[in-house]
Amino acid sequence: CRGGLILEDSYMSANLDDHINTKGEDGEVVKKINDRTFVVDWYMNEKVGDEFLFYNTVTKQIVGKAFLKSSSSSNGLITLEMDRDIENVLVKGDPGVSQPTRVYNISASARGSVVRNNTFVNSRRHVWINRSPNSIFENNTVKDVGGAAIAAMNEVTANACEGFTPSSMTIRNNYIEGLDGNTTGYYPIEIFSFQSNLQSQSIIDGVVLENNVINVPNKNHAILIKDTKNVYMFNNKIIYAKPMQQNTMPVAIVNSEIKEIDGLTFEGDKNEKTFITIAGCKVDEENIKNLSMPEGMRKYTIE
């Protein structure tokens, strides 16, 4: 994952897990030599010049950013010399430290990835788990997979980080069909940060969903967005081939910042459901417009 992944004009089927998983590596600080030199417990595919994030796993705050000057390994430990001081680093084993600072190599996170003009069918889980910034998922056809077409995750938990943020992401002109709901909790498009909130620096910042068609014959949401800033949605269509169940929410946006929703179509049976469920979000209702749905269906609710 050092460079951006380019996957175009391919046909992929029958995978037993994810078709694509772009992620980075992180390590735990086990020793501080000085404010520029640290020892970590994990190899992060590092090279001189790579950009590193030092972060707190509990608060999801970035302690500092720096570029690598040199690295060396000994007995399974990696010594990193950075180009600037990083203060307030918590070291494993120090008195009172239960969650030491972790270090993530953002230069080895497949940033700048492009997945375009592909077909993905009949597989067990996600098409793409994306943790890579500045990425594009465009003109793809997805049918009958067990997970999401794209699961854009900022996966920072207490003990590990598989990706700090898939910010600045475009999801455009895709056709997604199937996802029969056998794998509970997966939705065709899902974007969220693990254990984050709008104040966390690990939050996803910048997502555009444009001209996608999601044909969902199941009980699940079509689009789920959580803990994401600068959300834009333009001219997307959602189709429910079967009647929605009682708790189905076609579009759910939670704890996020919605900049604009312009053009969103629901195609399906007449119903009394809510098209867009918005909870705990920053949003101006004037920026939610051009929604099309059956008679009697509520455009949106804001909680």
Side-chain angles (χ1 to χ4, degrees):
C1 282
R2 288 203 53 81
L5 168 72
I6 307 296
L7 179 66
E8 296 182 315
D9 304 314
S10 299
Y11 183 95
M12 303 178 73
S13 68
N15 265 22
L16 295 179
D17 203 37
D18 311 304
H19 284 292
I20 309 166
N21 183 349
T22 51
K23 61 184 286 291
E25 301 289 344
D26 82 327
E28 193 170 65
V29 177
V30 297
K31 184 179 180 180
K32 183 177 80 169
I33 297 173
N34 54 52
D35 281 342
R36 293 193 180 194
T37 309
F38 306 90
V39 180
V40 298
D41 64 351
W42 195 257
Y43 170 67
M44 290 171 282
N45 195 20
E46 68 272 356
K47 293 184 182 296
V48 172
D50 282 355
E51 183 180 9
F52 281 78
L53 305 181
F54 290 72
Y55 68 96
N56 185 305
T57 60
V58 177
T59 64
K60 308 299 187 294
Q61 301 304 308
I62 297 172
V63 177
K65 301 179 181 181
F67 293 90
L68 184 67
K69 288 187 65 177
S70 68
S71 68
S72 59
S73 61
S74 178
N75 298 320
L77 299 177
I78 312 296
T79 300
L80 306 174
E81 182 189 3
M82 313 312 295
D83 71 334
R84 67 199 69 182
D85 290 352
I86 305 294
E87 299 178 351
N88 302 315
V89 172
L90 304 178
V91 178
K92 184 176 182 179
D94 280 359
V97 175
S98 59
Q99 293 289 341
T101 299
R102 298 188 72 90
V103 186
Y104 182 73
N105 186 358
I106 195 71
S107 295
S109 63
R111 59 183 174 186
S113 289
V114 177
V115 177
R116 178 188 289 139
N117 301 330
N118 305 287
T119 298
F120 304 92
V121 298
N122 300 323
S123 59
R124 173 181 169 267
R125 217 165 80 106
H126 304 314
V127 169
W128 185 12
I129 300 184
N130 177 27
R131 293 131 173 157
S132 305
N134 310 320
S135 57
I136 298 174
F137 187 73
E138 183 176 41
N139 293 333
N140 299 290
T141 298
V142 178
K143 293 185 177 182
D144 298 317
V145 299
I150 182 164
M153 300 177 178
N154 179 5
E155 196 161 351
V156 182
T157 59
N159 299 313
C161 173
E162 291 202 352
F164 208 84
T165 174
S167 291
S168 304
M169 173 176 53
T170 299
I171 302 170
R172 178 190 293 132
N173 296 335
N174 302 287
Y175 178 77
I176 304 165
E177 178 182 299
L179 289 83
D180 60 11
N182 289 330
T183 311
T184 302
Y186 294 151
Y187 314 114
I189 294 178
E190 53 184 90
I191 301 164
F192 64 90
S193 296
F194 279 50
Q195 305 169 1
S196 295
N197 56 51
L198 283 175
Q199 286 69 50
S200 301
Q201 290 176 309
S202 64
I203 200 162
I204 297 168
D205 188 354
V207 175
V208 176
L209 281 74
E210 184 176 15
N211 295 330
N212 300 287
V213 176
I214 306 173
N215 191 336
V216 196
N218 67 358
K219 64 184 180 181
N220 285 343
H221 315 330
I223 298 174
L224 176 65
I225 299 174
K226 296 177 64 178
D227 306 313
T228 303
K229 294 195 299 185
N230 291 310
V231 175
Y232 294 85
M233 298 175 64
F234 303 117
N235 301 319
N236 298 284
K237 178 187 284 189
I238 296 172
I239 303 169
Y240 275 85
K242 297 180 180 178
M244 293 187 294
Q245 295 190 0
Q246 181 177 357
N247 297 322
T248 302
M249 294 180 287
V251 178
I253 307 176
V254 181
N255 192 33
S256 295
E257 180 189 57
I258 302 169
K259 287 294 188 180
E260 189 170 7
I261 299 175
D262 187 353
L264 185 59
T265 300
F266 181 100
E267 187 175 302
D269 292 344
K270 181 178 180 180
N271 62 78
E272 297 180 355
K273 305 290 187 181
T274 299
F275 194 3
I276 309 173
T277 301
I278 299 170
C281 292
K282 294 181 179 179
V283 58
D284 185 339
E285 292 186 59
E286 291 184 357
N287 294 325
I288 304 177
K289 52 197 174 185
N290 295 319
L291 306 184
S292 176
M293 67 218 69
E295 182 181 351
M297 190 175 192
R298 291 184 296 273
K299 290 183 178 181
Y300 56 83
T301 60
I302 298 178
E303 301 174 0

